[in-house]
Amino acid sequence: MDIVTTPQLIAGNWKMNGLLAARGEIAALAAGLKGRARLPEVLVCPPATLLHGFSGAVAGTPIKLGGQTCHTAAAGAHTGDVSAEMLKDAGASYVIVGHSERRTDHNEANALVAAQARAAWRAGLSAIICIGESEAQRSAGQMEKTLADQIAYSVPSETTVANAAVAYEPIWAIGTGKTASLDDIEGAHAFIRARLEASLGPAGRSVRLLYGGSVKPSNAKEILSTRGVDGVLVGGASLKAADFLAIVDGARVAV
Ligand code: PEP
């Protein structure tokens, strides 16, 4: 039987940054990836306003686009919200759900995050489901309980490698320049993997597990080489094509 390995996923989260002129960064990213025979999966999640404008720039390139959140409904009276169907219509194939900035700024709790993942699937998108503990939870010895609860209540039972990835993003490492140590990442990923297997069965063995938190060109390769890391979710360092390309270069690719 052939062994099928899923490529590492290098995902960029632009957060609330970028205007249409940033198409130049996408074009530079596409130019940098051109002609490379072996690549990880490369995903850029710009603000929803830019998805349609970027869709032309990524056509014919390996770059995929994703949204940063979605409403649980397909349409309706939800002023200011964006549905998964709208993201798909604008050119997305992924959506991030449960990012800590959404959990904090918009009070998005575990059950809502699970419903957002299911909304993504209804629309034909893959979901990147984010989990991670705060500094306070970590220092109070609550890290494993926090992660276990997030897995139990925000990662739906239908999660598979084909429809989702889980991103471990310790909140204290996001946008702070404080990257988790490789030992911390390996340990947290092993814990999360065990919980995913316990709750999802065989699907929990293959679903990709990303690390996020101050990933940059200088640390990407060692993080991407760490046991149990199937990709990275990158914030600040995904905004510039040169930095993001250097991170892509750190990925493990099949030979
Ligand atoms: C993120 O926003 O998901 C993130 C990991 O940000 P940064 O890389 O800037 O820490």
Side-chain angles (χ1 to χ4, degrees):
M1 197 176 77
D2 287 342
I3 297 173
V4 180
T5 51
T6 311
Q8 286 191 318
L9 172 60
I10 312 299
N13 171 16
W14 281 24
K15 311 193 186 198
M16 199 174 73
N17 294 295
L19 301 174
L20 199 50
R23 252 186 316 205
E25 292 302 325
I26 299 295
L29 182 60
L33 296 175
K34 202 169 172 184
R36 295 191 191 197
R38 294 190 191 88
L39 280 174
E41 193 174 352
V42 179
L43 171 70
V44 175
C45 301
T49 50
L50 295 179
L51 283 170
H52 181 62
F54 284 4
S55 60
V58 302
T61 80
I63 305 166
K64 296 179 181 170
L65 295 177
Q68 299 176 8
T69 185
C70 63
H71 197 277
T72 56
H78 304 290
T79 303
D81 279 315
V82 178
S83 72
E85 282 76 0
M86 290 168 176
L87 297 174
K88 169 100 172 164
D89 190 48
S93 52
Y94 273 87
V95 61
I96 298 167
V97 296
H99 191 283
S100 60
E101 287 155 13
R102 300 288 313 175
R103 289 177 185 261
T104 304
D105 297 355
H106 299 274
N107 294 316
E108 294 185 353
N110 287 329
L112 179 72
V113 174
Q116 290 169 324
R118 291 192 168 107
W121 300 336
R122 181 191 63 222
L125 301 177
S126 288
I128 297 179
I129 305 167
C130 299
I131 61 173
E133 81 286 358
S134 67
E135 179 92 72
Q137 287 163 331
R138 190 181 182 80
S139 38
Q142 293 292 305
M143 174 184 153
E144 291 195 344
K145 182 186 177 344
T146 304
L147 295 176
D149 283 352
Q150 289 173 335
I151 292 164
Y153 300 113
S154 58
V155 180
S157 56
E158 311 92 292
T159 297
T160 70
V161 65
N163 67 20
V166 172
Y168 169 58
E169 299 208 299
I171 298 173
W172 47 271
I174 295 182
T176 58
K178 274 197 239 168
T179 316
S181 73
L182 300 182
D183 280 351
D184 282 347
I185 295 172
E186 188 173 331
H189 278 223
F191 175 79
I192 294 165
R193 177 64 72 197
R195 300 306 292 210
L196 288 172
E197 286 185 29
S199 63
L200 303 176
R205 227 170 283 146
S206 52
V207 65
R208 282 179 293 184
L209 188 44
L210 318 183
Y211 168 77
S214 298
V215 176
K216 45 193 180 246
S218 58
N219 62 18
K221 193 175 170 69
E222 58 181 15
I223 291 172
L224 284 160
S225 306
T226 298
R227 185 194 299 269
V229 174
D230 304 313
V232 285
L233 180 55
V234 185
S238 68
L239 291 168
K240 289 280 163 236
D243 289 343
F244 198 50
L245 272 170
I247 291 170
V248 169
D249 278 337
R252 268 197 318 256
V253 286
V255 282

